[in-house]
Amino acid sequence: MPTAPTARLVVLVSGSGTNLQALLDACADPSYGASVVAVGADRDGIEGLARAERAGVPTFVHRLADHPDRAAWDAALTASVASHEPDLVVCAGFMKLVGRDFLDRFGGRVLNTHPALSPSFPGMHGPADALAYGVKVTGCTLFVVDDGVDTGPIVAQAAVEVHDDDTVDSLHERIKTAERAMLVENVGRMAREGFTITDRKVRFGR
Ligand code: GRF
């Protein structure tokens, strides 16, 4: 019996890789419809890379400091990702903005997850900025990467309550629980059902 094609995911990480782990775990079920074919990082020695290695997934690292400039770093990252022929690239806690080469090659199929409800609190400090502002509800956003900072078309969002006694860490951990579920559910749907983007509206289906 013919089997449905499995979407090839390349996942980019910079840290602990719990979002990556959630994807690796989901991909272990053949009915999920996707497979992590490689994991890339912008730094060595992180738990995200160790998780990939434990799962037997090939890894690559491109440190900005090892390249003459950002464009060269971006070109090297693009080439490594391209060599794994991804259907989707998932930035899962990848703390760098990808550049022109990368978007020319993969634009429209690069996803990122942000720990705030876009368009609120873009940038590196979403949980801290939400806490400092005093919002009662924040959350996470899965979006298709464009050339802005956390500005791309939104695939999914999940709301998370802010508690009176929250610290940045406790709030971020609660957001990450929602983020992992959002990522697994929506990447799976994108892989199985396809998606379109029209006037910033992301819809499932081909
Ligand atoms: C996530 O909250 C992501 O949105 C943010 O950093 C966190 C990464 O967590 N940029 P992990 O490395 O997947 O555990």
Side-chain angles (χ1 to χ4, degrees):
M1 207 170 89
T3 51
T6 298
R8 297 173 63 82
L9 310 181
V10 171
V11 182
L12 300 179
V13 297
S14 298
S16 63
T18 63
N19 281 284
L20 164 65
Q21 189 67 55
L23 284 173
L24 288 167
D25 293 348
C27 289
D29 178 350
S31 69
Y32 184 64
S35 170
V36 179
V37 295
V39 171
D42 64 334
R43 61 199 76 187
D44 295 300
I46 53 173
E47 182 60 17
L49 287 171
R51 290 177 190 275
E53 281 152 20
R54 286 197 293 271
V57 173
T59 62
F60 55 90
V61 176
H62 289 293
R63 298 178 345 136
L64 196 49
D66 293 338
H67 296 274
D69 55 30
R70 216 176 161 99
W73 170 80
D74 188 58
L77 182 71
T78 302
S80 287
V81 172
S83 73
H84 295 284
E85 301 180 346
D87 295 303
L88 290 171
V89 181
V90 183
C91 300
F94 186 58
M95 303 307 273
K96 291 274 186 307
L97 295 177
V98 295
R100 197 60 273 157
D101 272 12
F102 199 94
L103 289 176
D104 283 349
R105 180 81 189 234
F106 303 115
R109 52 201 176 100
V110 184
L111 306 176
N112 193 6
T113 166
H114 177 59
L117 288 176
S118 297
S120 294
F121 311 121
M124 303 274 281
H125 309 291
D129 292 345
L131 197 61
Y133 195 93
V135 295
K136 301 298 185 192
V137 176
T138 183
C140 48
T141 301
L142 179 67
F143 64 97
V144 181
V145 174
D146 65 8
D147 57 5
V149 178
D150 301 324
T151 51
I154 292 171
V155 178
Q157 295 184 295
V160 171
E161 274 185 19
V162 181
H163 297 170
D164 287 348
D165 60 354
D166 262 332
T167 62
V168 173
D169 285 347
S170 67
L171 178 59
H172 196 178
E173 282 308 314
R174 195 174 318 111
I175 292 170
K176 282 176 66 169
T177 300
E179 205 173 10
R180 290 188 285 267
M182 175 185 72
L183 188 67
V184 166
E185 180 187 339
N186 289 282
V187 168
R189 286 196 67 184
M190 293 172 108
R192 294 186 301 272
E193 301 172 30
F195 62 99
T196 60
I197 309 172
T198 309
D199 299 332
R200 287 192 59 87
K201 312 296 183 306
V202 181
R203 297 191 178 89
F204 294 113
R206 294 185 210 275

